[in-house]
């Protein structure tokens, strides 16, 4: 008897809560760690990136206006739904990153726990970073962090799932929305994460995931006037490879609209290649959440 | 105008599976008490016996503390903090999943309206676990100044917490106590109130469903003697109590001279202060919510209404109009506003204090609400002609009784509001923001509500000044009560 032929999945973009192909009609071949063909992924265009920014902007009012408690519940729900797809993620990660099954499972464990970690920060970050300021006068004076807006995220190139979650979760935990360029060569775990987000009470448009060529899309996002912040984590190349992205140039492009920039780790200047950090290390507090928040200070007089 | 009557809208009891009797929850299982005594728990709305519940003696308390100590040393304090947090997230989720069951059981055992148990007690209890779950692995960032730190720089737990809670919010007070204790790495022995043990016993089943390691949470039911045995147990590192100021004083004496850490959340006699520019409709709703929420069995209830003289007559008139609309009766009816008084004993206390109000010359007005025949009931009541010296203006009644007084200036309002040994909460009603803040600076109370009342949130610290106790529960500040000092 002939073996059953499996039905293969089309890996698409995740924009505004939907799964479109690239409007450009382009795709590119994704291989496993040994170079064998796995699937064709959509190659996002400048128009796709702009559409994604529109979707993220449209989702911002609702997401930033939700209570921190509600956002925490939603992030925790993402962890719950990921847990149910644990095996699928482990398979994708093993294939993309060339890990053993056991190591891939550990990566998925850590990625799920990372959502839980940031779920817990949603309603605590204001308590840790906010302050009642004792100004020298009859005024009530309170500083609180508020989400910055739309964040463009270059997801890490090597750590296709744990690295991705480690940069996306803090953005949405703080109440911002984002457009994410997935790992260029290891994009498929990001697409599966999109499928989880679509079924986890995360409103459409809060997280938008683009697959494609980082060096092509990143400049459009860096210079986009409606992008408020830029995370350059994905500017670090895969280990042993040359950088395809000049993060200094992206930061300079972002300067036009004073877009906030989180620089990649591991190099003194952008002339040296950045180095991707070890994402299994637990984050050092809410630094990444606060990187995408503004401090608002409110004054109010006191008097009879 | 036609009058529309409400049809009965009772919530089904079928969702609750009551056992004829309950043992003590020690070391992860239900066990019989050593000396074998038990007590009945009653539905205060019908006087029907709901179940027989074990009365824990000193030997049972000792067994529970030992189980908590063992769990602390062998499991809970050694577990990675993130895993501890994940247990709390599980508990939060199960509280949400079994929310209706908990709400119905709470209303049956306590007498509070299902609208409140369903919309306030249970969701807040779940939220409390959710919030503290997140803290478990973030204590290093909580700014707990002066805490003893472990090798990883994380504040250390105390060990075993003995917790005694009241009957007015049985499940919610359990959550306020258990969630922060567990999040910070302590294990607990909890003594629920004598008259409302059932949701705590259901919580034991929730711990089982969450696979919480045995002994992390132990529940010893009983009365005052059980609580005293727990508080006095030499191997308890931390005592947390919510209840009356009288018992709080006794506990403070018991603990004196030991190294036990103590937090007390005690009585109150909150002033609810209404200025002449307040939005009158919202204010009247707020006053009603402030004193008649949960039959007035609320330590932070706005039991002293201070109204600016110029609008006193209007406010009292509108208040009476509104009170006449309150629906007193079956706690399980979804249209009920005011449920049953929790016990015959409490009903007697309310009745006696109201009689003192009459005797001292205050003017009583009772809402013309029909009351059921069986059970323990007290109609929403308002006293005017009250002076600050009257007993009903000074003593905590813990029932649906409001004492109305007047003032002329903001300073006079502050003086009158602060003329009490209590200092738990206060309310301010005015459209002038600067006045709210000016007043808030001067009120000697741990929680000040402005243009709202009786608001609670797990992120918001709660607790009193003066004889309303010390320590805070909830928020970043509440964590401090459960970590070791350096």
């Amino acid at each position: 008897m002939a073996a059953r032929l499996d039905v293969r999945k089309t890996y698409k973009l995740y924009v505004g809560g939907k799964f479109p192909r690239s409007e450009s009609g382009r795709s590119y071949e994704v291989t496993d760690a040994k170079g064998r063909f796995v699937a064709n992924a959509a190659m996002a265009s400048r128009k796709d990136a702009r559409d994604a920014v529109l979707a993220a902007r449209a989702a911002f009012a609702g997401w930033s206006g939700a209570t921190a408690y509600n956002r925490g519940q939603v992030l925790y729900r993402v962890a719950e739904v990921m847990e149910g797809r644990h095996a699928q993620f482990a398979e994708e990660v093993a294939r993309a990153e060339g890990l053993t099954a056991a190591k891939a499972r550990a990566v998925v464990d850590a990625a799920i726990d990372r959502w839980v970690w940031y779920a817990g920060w949603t309603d605590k970050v204001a308590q840790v970073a906010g302050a009642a300021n004792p100004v020298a006068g009859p005024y009530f004076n309170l500083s609180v962090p508020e989400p910055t807006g739309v964040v463009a995220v270059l997801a890490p190139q090597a750590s296709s799932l744990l690295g991705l979650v480690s940069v996306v979760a803090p953005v949405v935990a703080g109440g911002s929305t984002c457009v994410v360029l997935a790992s260029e060569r290891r994009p498929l775990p990001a697409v599966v994460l999109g499928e989880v987000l679509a079924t986890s009470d995360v409103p459409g448009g809060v997280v938008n995931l683009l697959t494609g060529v980082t060096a092509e899309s990143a400049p459009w996002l860096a210079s986009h006037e409606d992008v408020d912040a830029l995370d350059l984590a994905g500017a670090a190349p895969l280990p042993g490879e040359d950088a395809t992205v000049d993060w200094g140039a992206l930061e300079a492009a972002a300067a036009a609209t004073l877009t906030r920039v989180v620089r990649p780790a591991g190099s003194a200047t952008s002339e040296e290649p950045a180095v991707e950090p070890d994402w299994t290390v637990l984050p050092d507090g809410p630094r990444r959440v606060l990187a995408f928040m503004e401090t608002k200070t409110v004054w109010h007089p006191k008097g009879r | 105008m036609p009058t529309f009557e409400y049809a009965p809208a009772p919530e089904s009891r079928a969702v609750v599976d009551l056992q004829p009797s309950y043992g003590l929850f020690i070391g992860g299982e239900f066990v019989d008490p050593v000396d074998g005594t038990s007590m009945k728990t009653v539905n205060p709305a019908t006087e029907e016996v709901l179940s027989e519940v074990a009365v824990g003696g000193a030997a049972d308390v000792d067994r529970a503390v030992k189980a908590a100590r063992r769990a602390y040393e062998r499991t809970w304090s050694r577990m990675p903090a993130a895993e501890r947090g994940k247990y709390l997230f599980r508990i939060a989720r199960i509280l949400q999943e079994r929310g209706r069951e908990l709400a119905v059981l709470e209303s049956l055992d306590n007498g509070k309206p299902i609208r409140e148990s369903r919309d306030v007690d249970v969701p807040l209890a779940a939220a409390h676990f959710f919030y503290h779950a997140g803290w478990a692995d973030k204590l290093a960032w909580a700014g707990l100044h002066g805490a003893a730190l472990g090798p990883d720089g994380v504040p250390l737990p105390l060990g075993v917490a003995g917790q005694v809670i009241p009957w007015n919010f049985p499940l919610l007070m359990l959550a306020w106590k258990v969630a922060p204790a567990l999040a910070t790495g302590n294990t607990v022995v909890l003594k629920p109130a004598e008259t409302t043990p059932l949701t705590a016993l259901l919580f034991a089943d929730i711990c089982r469903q969450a696979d919480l390691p045995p002994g992390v949470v132990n529940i010893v039911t009983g009365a005052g003697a059980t609580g005293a045995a727990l508080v006095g147990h030499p191997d308890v590192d931390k005592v947390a109590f919510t209840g009356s100021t009288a018992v709080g004083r006794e506990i403070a004496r018991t603990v004196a001279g030991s190294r036990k850490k103590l937090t007390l959340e005690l009585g109150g006699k909150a002033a609810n202060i209404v200025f002449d520019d307040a939005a009158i409709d919202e204010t009247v709703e707020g006053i009603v919510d402030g004193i008649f929420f949960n039959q007035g069995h609320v330590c932070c209830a706005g039991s002293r209404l201070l109204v600016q003289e110029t609008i006193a007559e209007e406010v009292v008139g509108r208040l009476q109009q509104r009170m006449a609309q309150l629906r007193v009766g079956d706690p399980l009816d979804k249209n009920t506003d005011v449920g049953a008084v929790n016990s015959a004993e409490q009903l007697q206390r309310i009745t006696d204090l109201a009689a003192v109000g009459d005797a001292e010359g205050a003017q009583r007005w009772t809402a013309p609400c029909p009351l059921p025949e069986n059970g323990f009931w007290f109609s929403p009541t308002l006293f005017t002609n009250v002076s600050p010296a009257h007993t009903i203006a000074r003593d905590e009644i813990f029932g649906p009784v409001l004492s109305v007084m007047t003032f002329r200036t903001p300073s006079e309002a502050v003086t009158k509001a602060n003329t009490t040994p209590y200092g738990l909460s206060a309310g301010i009603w005015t459209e002038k923001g600067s006045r709210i803040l000016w007043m808030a600076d001067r009120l000697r109370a741990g929680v000040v509500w402005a243009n709202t009342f009786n608001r609670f949130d797990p992120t918001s610290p709660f607790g009193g000044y003066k004889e309303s106790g010390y320590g805070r529960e909830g928020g970043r500040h509440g964590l401090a009560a459960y970590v070791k000092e350096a």
Side-chain angles (χ1 to χ4, degrees):
Chain A
M1 207 173 86
R4 177 181 170 273
L5 193 66
D6 59 343
V7 178
R8 291 187 180 166
K9 182 162 79 186
T10 309
Y11 289 84
K12 299 197 279 189
L13 309 176
Y14 178 55
V15 176
K18 296 188 165 62
F19 294 93
R21 293 189 171 83
S22 169
E23 62 78 37
S24 67
R26 300 180 305 170
S27 66
Y28 68 112
E29 188 170 312
V30 177
T31 59
D32 67 12
K34 288 184 176 153
R36 291 172 301 213
F37 172 78
V38 177
N40 292 308
M43 191 190 289
S45 66
R46 178 172 72 159
K47 176 83 164 67
D48 291 320
R50 288 178 167 179
D51 287 348
V53 172
L54 277 180
R57 176 60 61 193
F60 179 67
W63 185 244
S64 61
T67 61
Y69 175 60
N70 183 231
R71 283 202 300 273
Q73 301 254 304
V74 172
L75 264 62
Y76 184 74
R77 179 78 181 147
V78 174
E80 288 181 337
V81 176
M82 263 188 92
E83 191 83 65
R85 292 210 194 195
H86 198 289
Q88 184 187 4
F89 275 110
E91 192 185 332
E92 290 282 8
V93 168
R95 205 159 53 176
E97 301 181 18
L99 302 178
T100 63
K103 278 191 176 151
R105 281 197 297 273
V107 164
V108 179
D109 287 345
I112 294 169
D113 288 355
R114 191 83 14 117
W115 280 109
V116 175
W117 158 265
Y118 281 114
W121 272 117
T122 58
D123 56 5
K124 295 172 187 68
V125 69
Q127 299 194 300
V128 170
N133 310 306
V135 293
Y139 294 94
F140 165 90
N141 184 292
L142 188 72
S143 294
V144 288
E146 276 193 355
T148 194
V150 173
V151 181
V153 178
L154 275 57
Q157 300 296 338
S159 183
S160 59
L161 181 68
L162 178 57
L164 173 72
V165 170
S166 300
V167 294
V168 170
V171 172
V172 296
S176 289
T177 59
C178 57
V179 176
V180 184
L181 300 180
S183 166
E184 180 174 327
R185 301 252 294 278
R186 302 171 175 180
L188 304 188
V191 179
V192 180
L193 182 67
E195 291 164 10
V196 163
L197 296 172
T199 52
S200 302
D201 303 334
V202 181
V206 169
V207 178
N208 304 279
L209 296 164
L210 303 176
T211 53
V213 180
T214 308
E216 182 195 325
S217 297
W220 301 122
L221 290 170
S223 62
H224 197 299
E225 289 188 6
D226 209 23
V227 168
D228 300 294
L230 181 63
D231 185 342
L232 294 171
L238 284 170
E241 298 194 5
D242 290 337
T244 61
V245 173
D246 176 354
W247 63 263
L250 292 172
E251 183 175 348
T257 52
L258 299 175
T259 296
R260 284 88 171 108
V261 174
V262 174
R263 293 171 175 153
S267 64
T269 71
S270 66
E271 280 156 34
E272 303 284 318
V275 179
E276 191 171 315
D278 177 3
W279 298 104
T280 60
V281 176
L282 198 68
D284 179 25
R287 189 174 56 88
R288 280 191 166 270
V289 182
L290 290 168
F292 305 107
M293 300 189 91
E294 308 288 335
T295 299
K296 176 177 281 176
T297 298
V298 179
W299 291 70
H300 195 295
K302 296 174 173 181
R304 265 175 276 194
Chain B
M1 272 244 306
T3 309
F4 295 100
E5 290 300 321
Y6 284 87
E11 180 69 47
S12 168
R13 272 181 70 159
V15 69
V16 169
D17 181 20
L18 269 175
Q19 319 267 323
S21 69
Y22 290 90
L24 306 167
F25 185 68
I26 296 176
E29 53 191 52
F30 278 99
V31 297
D32 291 331
V34 174
D35 57 7
T37 65
S38 69
M39 61 187 181
K40 291 179 172 60
T41 187
V42 166
N43 179 347
T46 60
E47 299 175 56
E48 160 207 5
V49 174
L50 293 169
S51 186
E52 293 239 350
V53 175
V55 174
D60 300 303
V61 167
D62 186 55
R63 204 158 41 136
V65 171
K66 282 200 171 85
R69 174 64 58 191
R70 204 177 310 118
Y72 174 74
E73 282 172 358
R74 295 193 188 163
T75 322
W76 203 241
S77 66
R78 297 181 179 195
M79 187 180 291
E83 302 298 298
R84 227 166 51 216
K86 278 152 76 179
Y87 276 112
L88 297 189
F89 276 117
R90 276 191 191 174
I91 291 171
R93 282 304 208 210
I94 300 173
L95 285 169
Q96 291 175 325
E97 283 160 14
R98 300 182 71 176
R100 190 55 54 91
E101 184 184 353
L102 286 159
V104 171
L105 186 58
E106 196 76 306
S107 282
L108 280 176
D109 203 20
N110 168 279
K112 66 175 65 200
I114 185 74
R115 189 164 54 85
E116 290 174 6
S117 52
R118 183 195 61 199
D119 298 349
V120 181
D121 297 62
V122 174
L124 271 177
H128 228 78
F129 275 94
F130 215 91
Y131 174 75
H132 286 93
W135 271 127
D137 57 1
K138 300 178 182 65
L139 296 173
W141 295 280
L144 299 171
H145 310 292
L149 304 179
D152 49 0
V154 175
L156 293 169
L158 290 156
V160 175
Q163 307 178 316
V164 180
I165 58 171
W167 46 261
N168 57 341
F169 294 94
L171 180 71
L172 185 57
M173 290 302 103
L174 175 152
W176 281 28
K177 295 281 183 286
V178 173
L182 263 49
T184 45
N186 303 277
T187 56
V188 307
V189 178
L190 178 99
K191 208 285 282 178
E194 182 182 357
T195 57
T196 56
L198 295 181
T199 45
L201 295 167
L202 180 52
F203 181 79
D205 191 52
I206 288 170
C207 293
R208 176 189 64 81
Q209 289 188 334
D211 285 330
L212 190 72
V216 172
V217 169
N218 304 277
I219 294 168
V220 180
T221 48
T226 315
L230 178 57
V231 166
H233 194 289
D235 202 32
V236 161
D237 302 295
K238 150 84 192 173
V239 173
F241 171 73
T242 295
S244 72
T245 292
V247 176
R249 260 191 266 276
E250 261 177 61
I251 291 175
R253 279 192 203 106
T254 306
V255 165
S258 76
R259 295 289 174 190
K260 289 176 189 170
K261 202 162 175 174
L262 176 64
T263 45
L264 298 168
E265 203 271 89
L266 309 175
K269 193 72 188 176
N272 205 359
I273 304 161
V274 178
F275 286 94
D276 58 8
D277 67 335
I280 199 80
D281 289 341
E282 287 83 347
T283 303
V284 168
E285 283 306 307
I287 297 166
V288 167
D289 184 50
I291 183 63
F292 301 120
F293 173 65
N294 204 36
Q295 299 72 248
H297 301 330
V298 184
C299 45
C300 54
S303 53
R304 286 185 299 154
L305 182 64
L306 294 176
V307 196
Q308 203 154 18
E309 203 173 83
T310 44
I311 56 159
E313 211 171 306
E314 186 191 358
V315 168
V316 170
R318 285 185 184 236
L319 202 50
Q320 290 172 343
Q321 222 172 25
R322 180 66 186 86
M323 285 167 65
Q325 309 297 316
L326 291 172
R327 300 177 60 81
V328 183
D330 181 7
L332 286 186
D333 192 303
K334 286 171 252 187
N335 292 320
T336 293
D337 298 311
V338 179
V341 169
N342 179 248
S343 64
E345 187 192 356
Q346 187 58 24
L347 178 58
Q348 192 57 50
R349 178 178 162 76
I350 298 167
T351 308
D352 291 350
L353 276 165
V356 173
D358 296 329
E360 291 181 352
Q363 182 81 39
R364 186 200 294 232
W365 183 86
T366 302
C369 308
L371 299 180
E373 279 178 18
N374 296 324
F376 316 126
W377 306 93
F378 199 90
S379 281
T381 297
L382 178 155
F383 278 99
T384 50
N385 287 339
V386 180
S387 93
H390 282 167
T391 303
I392 55 167
R394 290 184 288 116
D395 286 12
E396 185 178 41
I397 299 173
F398 222 63
V401 180
L402 179 65
S403 302
V404 185
M405 289 169 278
T406 59
F407 68 91
R408 290 182 181 172
T409 66
S411 297
E412 189 190 345
V414 168
T415 306
K416 283 187 165 163
N418 288 341
T419 306
T420 167
Y422 295 114
L424 189 51
S425 68
I428 307 162
W429 298 83
T430 169
E431 290 296 273
K432 206 171 156 191
S434 56
R435 182 185 279 158
I436 289 171
L437 297 167
W438 186 89
M439 292 288 294
D441 277 354
R442 284 158 184 77
L443 291 168
R444 302 284 294 164
V447 181
V448 177
W449 287 294
N451 294 329
T452 187
F453 209 92
N454 277 341
R455 290 285 158 264
F456 309 97
D457 192 278
T459 66
S460 179
F462 183 92
Y465 282 28
K466 303 192 279 187
E467 292 180 27
S468 289
Y470 37 69
R472 293 292 176 269
E473 294 185 301
R476 202 167 57 72
H477 301 79
L479 299 169
Y482 289 94
V483 297
K484 195 180 274 183
E485 282 163 33

